Amino acid sequence: MPVRETEAIILRTYPLSEADKIVSFFSRGGGRTRGVAHNARRSVKRFGASLERLSHVRVRYFEQESRELVRLESCELVQSFFELQSDYAAGVAFSYIAEVCELLLPEREVNDPFFRLVLLVMNEIGHGDIWRPLTYFDLWAVTLAGFLPPLDTCSRCQGSLDPGEAAWFRLESQGLQCKTCRSDGSWSLSGDSRSLAHGMMERSLAAIPDEGWGKSRAEDLRRLLEQQVEKHLERKLITRPLVEGL
Ligand SMILES: [Zn+2]
């Protein structure tokens, strides 16, 4: 049985039997993986607090031939985000990130940029900022998953959208639309939010100033991106209304 040791982020755990847990984790070296942690429910000795949701860990596991689940041998805490989750807003943001990772990442596909994105965003949220890192997460999650619509072209007339110009979108449309082509009942995406999206594509999160951020900033951009995620998944995210309710 090949053994693997890698950094990982715990996405969620659920009981398998009286003693065992199933652990869903996103590993740097192996992608999103599910495994069995034997005795994790009965004894805290072996895994301790390392299996808390969104813990950053170093995990060692065995691939089990012809079995879907790997077998966790050990799991050592690198960084815990558990304390931060006592803050309701941070807890909701973390749940949202975990759900998106769980549903969006294909199983066993290595995705180092996505792994770094999650760690970066969780650390930023840990510093008390929610909306700037969440917007950054949404934008890059959709980009890395490969379904960010072109931000500068109308999907209907193919005309270019000028910088600073508003655009429109709806769930059914393939991309953004210009003022002339927009359909009834569309959501608008402000010119500011389009510029911000460009800024976030070109610069690191640390280079995006944190002044002036509140829930209303780039809310339209997050709506566009989260709609794209749900469209791609063909299902609603359970945690999205919780984020909207913050
Ligand atoms: Zn158009």
Side-chain angles (χ1 to χ4, degrees):
M1 285 191 296
V3 63
R4 198 190 273 273
E5 194 173 332
T6 172
E7 267 183 90
I9 295 160
I10 305 294
L11 299 179
R12 68 183 183 120
T13 64
Y14 40 100
L16 174 65
S17 65
E18 217 167 273
D20 307 336
K21 271 183 186 176
I22 289 189
V23 183
S24 168
F25 58 97
F26 175 29
S27 89
R28 193 160 210 162
R32 185 173 62 80
T33 308
R34 285 185 311 136
V36 181
H38 289 292
N39 265 326
R41 296 192 72 200
R42 202 172 270 162
S43 151
V44 291
K45 239 188 257 165
R46 189 146 159 220
F47 297 105
S50 63
L51 296 180
E52 298 292 351
R53 188 184 51 173
L54 290 177
S55 290
H56 177 201
V57 297
R58 175 152 282 281
V59 67
R60 200 174 136 85
Y61 63 86
F62 291 99
E63 302 270 4
Q64 308 190 95
E65 214 175 306
S66 76
R67 284 203 212 161
E68 201 187 323
L69 298 171
V70 302
R71 184 161 65 79
L72 268 77
E73 177 63 21
S74 65
C75 190
E76 186 189 306
L77 198 59
V78 176
Q79 187 182 8
S80 169
F81 293 91
F82 185 66
E83 287 287 309
L84 297 170
Q85 296 179 52
S86 57
D87 176 74
Y88 177 73
V92 165
F94 282 148
S95 303
Y96 170 77
I97 292 168
E99 187 185 15
V100 171
C101 290
E102 176 88 14
L103 297 176
L104 198 61
L105 294 167
E107 217 165 342
R108 309 285 186 106
E109 213 171 88
V110 178
N111 192 337
D112 195 56
F114 211 110
F115 189 87
R116 285 186 281 119
L117 171 69
V118 175
L119 270 190
L120 171 74
V121 166
M122 290 197 312
N123 274 295
E124 275 306 303
I125 290 172
H127 293 136
D129 189 1
I130 299 247
W131 300 108
R132 188 177 59 107
L134 263 192
T135 307
Y136 191 84
F137 174 75
D138 276 348
L139 182 68
W140 275 102
V142 169
T143 302
L144 293 171
F147 49 86
L148 180 73
L151 296 174
D152 296 323
T153 312
C154 170
S155 61
R156 218 175 253 182
C157 71
Q158 304 304 319
S160 58
L161 298 159
D162 292 331
E165 191 187 341
W168 283 264
F169 63 96
R170 52 186 306 175
L171 196 56
E172 299 79 12
S173 56
Q174 287 308 309
L176 296 177
Q177 292 173 350
C178 69
K179 196 173 181 178
T180 317
C181 298
R182 69 175 158 164
S183 18
D184 290 341
S186 298
W187 302 96
S188 69
L189 177 67
S190 72
D192 276 354
S193 292
R194 275 182 55 230
S195 308
L196 179 73
H198 280 299
M200 286 186 159
M201 298 295 289
E202 287 152 14
R203 284 179 285 163
S204 67
L205 180 52
I208 309 292
D210 54 4
E211 297 91 49
W213 273 93
K215 188 188 170 189
S216 59
R217 177 117 189 247
E219 204 169 11
D220 50 357
L221 176 61
R222 290 192 300 276
R223 182 183 292 122
L224 165 73
L225 298 165
E226 290 164 14
Q227 276 188 7
Q228 293 293 317
V229 172
E230 290 185 339
K231 194 163 137 177
H232 178 81
L233 296 172
E234 297 181 338
R235 64 189 280 180
K236 298 275 180 207
L237 294 163
I238 293 168
T239 52
R240 193 177 158 206
L242 302 177
V243 174
E244 281 168 5
L246 288 176

